[in-house]
Amino acid sequence: AKTSGRNLIRFFDMGMQEQVTARAILGNELREAIQKNQFVLHYQPQMNEAGCITGAEALLRWMHPRHGVMPPDSFISVAEDTGLILPIGRFVMETACAQLVAWAARPETAHLTLSINVSAAQFRDQEFIDHTLATVKSSGVNSCKIMLEITESLLLNSLEGIIEKMFELKTRGISFSLDDFGTGYSSLAYLKHLPIDQLKIDKSFIRDVLTDMNDAVIVRTIIALAKSMELNIIAEGVETKEQRELLAKNGCFAYQGYLYAGPMATEELEQYMQQLIAK
Ligand code: C2E
Ligand code: CA
Ligand code: CA
Ligand code: CA
């Protein structure tokens, strides 16, 4: 990585030179990546029981000049620690809204919704609401097409301000999905107080759902919970027909996973949709 000005200042700091870890280098590369627009969104289809695509999840990719396509797990935590998740998150929101507007302009794609991942650090940022609403407004997107995916980590510490923010977005038509559901540690009590529309069953429960009794019980319990609270339910990481059949048998009719397709560029998604129609 190139030595940025910021890095030089730290260089003179006693002992800092040894502490220049892979994470620090990555942080500098991320800063550069933001300036050079090296991020793109890929889209993974979300399917219903009839095999029709209802929407997609936007998944961030870093087109690294030397390492190629970098998945988010390799840099999101550094982006969160450095605060760079804020400009990256703004890019995600702007790109996602622009994509929805492009989809809305064509009859074949007009119905698609888009799920957007928002990390706790973004949501807690005081400018998040203003930027999100400003982006929605200036893009002209129909906010009913937007679903924000939050995780239980957002709900772990103080809920203060969080609920108000959620309602503020909710009243503007934006919905919420609770991602990675079942993997967190917080109590279920919060579910009653939050304007959540959807639970997303974490892929770690889906993987062995056919062979692991515990996973099967957890999946059934989450589906029953969603039903009793009148929440929508979607399963991620659905890779086989058998997994989908078990989910359907238990009342889950929305799926995302390699059984259908992985995340892909928008042109590929449009091709994928044409293939679905041709079938
Ligand atoms: P996530 O939100 O839980 O996203 C689902 C992950 O599962 C994605 O990994 C997706 O590519 C992968 N996946 C999809 N189908 C299957 C399947 O059938 N089997 C298996 N094993 N995996 C599947 P990805 O794209 O590498 O993203 C990793 C995580 O990075 C996401 O997990 C999310 O927490 C975070 N992330 C991605 N995009 C963004 C973003 O724009 N903003 C923020 N804050 N976080 C993001
Ligand atoms: Ca997600
Ligand atoms: Ca997830
Ligand atoms: Ca995850």
Side-chain angles (χ1 to χ4, degrees):
K2 283 195 201 112
T3 313
S4 69
R6 200 178 284 256
N7 214 3
L8 267 177
I9 295 164
R10 298 175 70 176
F11 189 80
F12 292 108
D13 216 337
M14 282 288 286
M16 278 307 279
Q17 194 180 2
E18 303 90 75
Q19 290 179 41
V20 176
T21 59
R23 284 173 79 85
I25 295 170
L26 194 59
N28 287 326
E29 289 192 336
L30 274 177
R31 212 163 277 127
E32 208 175 302
I34 294 166
Q35 277 156 12
K36 295 187 175 168
N37 301 313
Q38 290 170 356
F39 295 102
V40 296
L41 290 184
H42 280 183
Y43 303 91
Q44 182 175 33
Q46 296 181 332
M47 315 294 290
N48 66 16
E49 173 65 356
C52 300
I53 176 169
T54 57
E57 178 177 3
L59 291 157
L60 187 63
R61 298 291 180 261
W62 177 9
M63 302 309 198
H64 193 285
R66 280 174 293 111
H67 306 314
V69 182
M70 302 259 285
D73 284 336
S74 64
F75 62 86
I76 287 283
S77 82
V78 172
E80 286 171 346
D81 292 351
T82 52
L84 293 171
I85 193 67
L86 300 180
I88 293 172
R90 288 194 288 269
F91 162 83
V92 169
M93 195 63 67
E94 287 158 15
T95 308
C97 287
Q99 184 61 68
L100 274 170
V101 168
W103 284 342
R106 294 181 43 218
E108 314 89 82
T109 49
H111 67 288
L112 296 178
T113 60
L114 191 52
S115 294
I116 303 165
N117 292 284
V118 178
S119 52
Q122 283 172 265
F123 203 89
R124 289 189 184 278
D125 179 54
Q126 52 178 7
E127 277 161 38
F128 176 73
I129 299 282
D130 284 349
H131 178 265
T132 300
L133 293 177
T135 305
V136 165
K137 198 171 175 193
S138 66
S139 66
V141 70
N142 177 356
S143 57
C144 298
K145 296 282 160 76
I146 300 174
M147 180 166 262
L148 300 184
E149 294 200 358
I150 58 169
T151 61
E152 287 169 275
S153 64
L154 177 64
L155 314 170
L156 267 185
N157 303 316
S158 113
L159 270 183
E160 195 165 342
I162 300 293
I163 300 181
E164 287 83 352
K165 279 188 186 175
M166 289 182 74
F167 273 103
E168 198 168 340
L169 294 172
K170 182 80 190 146
T171 55
R172 309 295 184 98
I174 293 174
S175 25
F176 286 94
S177 177
L178 202 44
D179 199 3
D180 303 343
F181 190 73
T183 61
Y185 301 98
S186 44
S187 97
L188 292 177
Y190 60 77
L191 272 182
K192 282 195 305 232
H193 305 293
L194 299 175
I196 300 268
D197 304 275
Q198 181 187 74
L199 299 183
K200 195 170 204 181
I201 310 174
D202 191 65
K203 57 181 181 289
S204 62
F205 302 120
I206 304 299
R207 195 182 52 219
D208 301 322
V209 73
L210 295 163
T211 51
D212 186 323
M213 275 307 292
N214 292 324
D215 287 340
V217 168
I218 289 169
V219 166
R220 275 203 299 271
T221 306
I222 294 174
I223 295 170
L225 177 73
K227 205 173 229 171
S228 72
M229 301 200 68
E230 297 181 323
L231 300 171
N232 292 319
I233 185 103
I234 184 168
E236 68 173 13
V238 180
E239 298 184 358
T240 69
K241 263 168 93 171
E242 291 74 21
Q243 290 169 339
R244 186 196 54 205
E245 276 159 17
L246 184 142
L247 286 160
K249 210 176 77 190
N250 286 285
C252 173
F253 304 109
Y255 321 99
Q256 189 182 331
Y258 300 153
L259 171 63
Y260 302 98
M264 54 194 148
T266 179
E267 312 83 54
E268 289 174 76
L269 184 79
E270 280 153 35
Q271 280 169 24
Y272 177 77
M273 289 181 71
Q274 269 156 19
Q275 284 166 21
L276 283 180
I277 295 166
K279 259 193 220 164

